[in-house]
Amino acid sequence: MEEYKKRIIKAIQYIDNNLDIELSLEKVSEIAAYSPFHFHRIFRLITGETIQSYIIRKRIEKSAFYLALRKNIKVKEIYLQFGFSNHSTFNKTFKKYYGKAPSEFRKSAPENFHKIQLKQSKNGQIDMVFQQYICNIENLLNWTNMNLKIKVTDLPEMNLAAVMSLGIANVEHSFNILINWAKKKNLFSEDHVKMISVYHDSFKVTPANKVRIHAYMLLDEKLKKQEGEVFSETIEPGKFIFGSGEVTLNDFEQCWVSLFLWIKENNYTARKAFPFEIYHTNFKEHPEGKMIVDFCIPIN
């Protein structure tokens, strides 16, 4: 737990102290000693913001401070210093946070603006922010202990029937195609069939309407040829981290982030293979919308 606190605080402090330089996800995640993919998800869950949103907000807040207290500095110098390429972008972004243009804000900022900021700091506002993030980590880990059973296991090769889904909204349709195909071939039985989703893109870099999430069904034997939209794929054998639990759809993000934290804590590294989910029950058939799921990450 102490290590998580140190890493998150170290990353936030690095951002806050370097708002005048380029802050890439790769650089900040390196400071926190996480991979960019893992850190992006952890940061968002803990702070409630993406890294990019957090950086923009902090740059706008710092710009407001400069506008109020350093009135001899031109607005252009301020927005260029904090990474805004032109006045139009800076003006639009600033108005989103403060409801007025930078020049108007400068005119109306109180003379004791800096005293207000100092007073907020003395009252523990900054410490409270860090404490809130730490509390989020503690809550996440507590939630994990209560809701997921995590284990490391070896899996054999898995033969799959697959239907491609482009965009998260189309996943259910892809599963329906797969189930109808299986029923016609007498392969579908709700008692023992395993349905699987494999993520072929990251939500970090791919829009939700374009991310590829293939719908899969585990087969006893490899599918010999493509049949309509149904084609054959294989999950290679190897070592996997399994996080298993009965959860709702809203819990999925927490489950994935929990596994990423667990991997780091236990000195494992993810293999360059796609993570996936194995569904054992249907959330539509549960009164609380819950389903039994295995969240699986290939590891070395």
Side-chain angles (χ1 to χ4, degrees):
M1 172 58 69
E2 290 301 320
E3 187 62 29
Y4 293 144
K5 294 178 185 178
K6 290 177 183 177
R7 289 182 188 175
I8 294 300
I9 291 176
K10 187 176 182 180
I12 291 171
Q13 288 177 328
Y14 177 80
I15 292 172
D16 291 353
N17 292 333
N18 292 280
L19 294 170
D20 57 342
I21 66 172
E22 183 179 352
L23 292 167
S24 66
L25 170 61
E26 288 71 21
K27 180 60 179 178
V28 179
S29 59
E30 181 183 343
I31 295 295
Y34 285 105
S35 71
F37 177 74
H38 293 173
F39 183 67
H40 172 81
R41 301 183 72 155
I42 293 166
F43 188 93
R44 183 176 62 183
L45 189 67
I46 290 170
T47 66
E49 297 179 274
T50 65
I51 294 175
Q52 188 62 27
S53 295
Y54 180 84
I55 291 172
I56 291 173
R57 178 172 63 80
K58 297 303 292 185
R59 283 177 168 162
I60 289 295
E61 290 173 358
K62 194 70 173 285
S63 299
F65 189 83
Y66 274 40
L67 287 167
L69 298 182
R70 303 185 181 182
K71 299 192 177 184
N72 60 316
I73 302 178
K74 295 180 180 179
V75 173
K76 183 176 181 179
E77 292 180 41
I78 293 174
Y79 72 67
L80 287 177
Q81 179 176 349
F82 291 110
F84 295 93
S85 58
N86 57 66
H87 183 272
S88 176
T89 301
F90 178 63
N91 191 65
K92 183 178 179 180
T93 307
F94 193 94
K95 287 180 74 172
K96 280 176 58 179
Y97 286 90
Y98 288 96
K100 56 183 70 175
S103 55
E104 184 183 355
F105 177 89
R106 169 169 269 180
K107 291 177 183 177
S108 62
E111 293 296 325
N112 64 341
F113 186 85
H114 66 293
K115 293 181 180 179
I116 295 172
Q117 297 297 310
L118 290 174
K119 183 178 180 182
Q120 289 175 338
S121 296
K122 287 181 179 179
N123 285 342
Q125 181 168 334
I126 294 176
D127 289 339
M128 284 175 62
V129 170
F130 284 133
Q131 286 300 322
Q132 181 59 50
Y133 294 159
I134 292 169
C135 182
N136 287 347
I137 298 174
E138 293 173 344
N139 289 340
L140 174 62
L141 294 175
N142 289 336
W143 183 92
T144 302
N145 291 332
M146 292 174 60
N147 293 277
L148 284 184
K149 293 181 179 179
I150 300 178
K151 65 178 181 179
V152 175
T153 188
D154 289 302
L155 290 181
E157 180 180 83
M158 289 192 284
N159 297 311
L160 306 166
V163 174
M164 186 179 76
S165 173
L166 185 61
I168 192 169
N170 295 317
V171 175
E172 184 174 359
H173 176 66
S174 295
F175 273 114
N176 287 337
I177 292 174
L178 191 56
I179 290 170
N180 289 334
W181 169 84
K183 286 180 176 178
K184 290 177 182 178
K185 299 180 72 68
N186 294 319
L187 296 174
F188 185 79
S189 170
E190 294 184 357
D191 294 332
H192 71 274
V193 71
K194 286 187 178 181
M195 308 301 292
I196 300 171
S197 287
V198 176
Y199 293 84
H200 289 267
D201 291 308
S202 166
F203 287 96
K204 176 175 71 71
V205 295
T206 305
N209 65 337
K210 297 186 182 300
V211 69
R212 289 179 303 135
I213 309 174
H214 288 189
Y216 290 96
M217 179 182 295
L218 184 63
L219 302 177
D220 293 332
E221 298 180 358
K222 189 171 184 177
L223 186 64
K224 295 181 180 179
K225 63 178 182 178
Q226 182 168 341
E227 300 181 15
E229 295 183 60
V230 181
F231 57 94
S232 174
E233 280 202 356
T234 302
I235 293 179
E236 299 297 328
K239 192 179 295 293
F240 294 81
I241 286 178
F242 263 54
S244 304
E246 187 175 33
V247 297
T248 68
L249 293 176
N250 291 332
D251 296 326
F252 275 40
E253 179 72 5
Q254 290 193 84
C255 293
W256 282 116
V257 174
S258 298
L259 289 183
F260 296 144
L261 289 173
W262 195 94
I263 285 176
K264 198 71 179 179
E265 181 183 5
N266 290 274
N267 299 315
Y268 289 103
T269 56
R271 278 191 281 128
K272 290 185 177 180
F274 301 115
F276 56 93
E277 299 158 353
I278 302 176
Y279 313 117
H280 297 276
T281 59
N282 189 342
F283 73 94
K284 292 183 178 180
E285 298 172 357
H286 192 283
E288 298 178 10
K290 293 184 176 181
M291 58 196 302
I292 298 173
V293 185
D294 297 328
F295 299 87
C296 310
I297 300 177
I299 58 172
N300 292 314

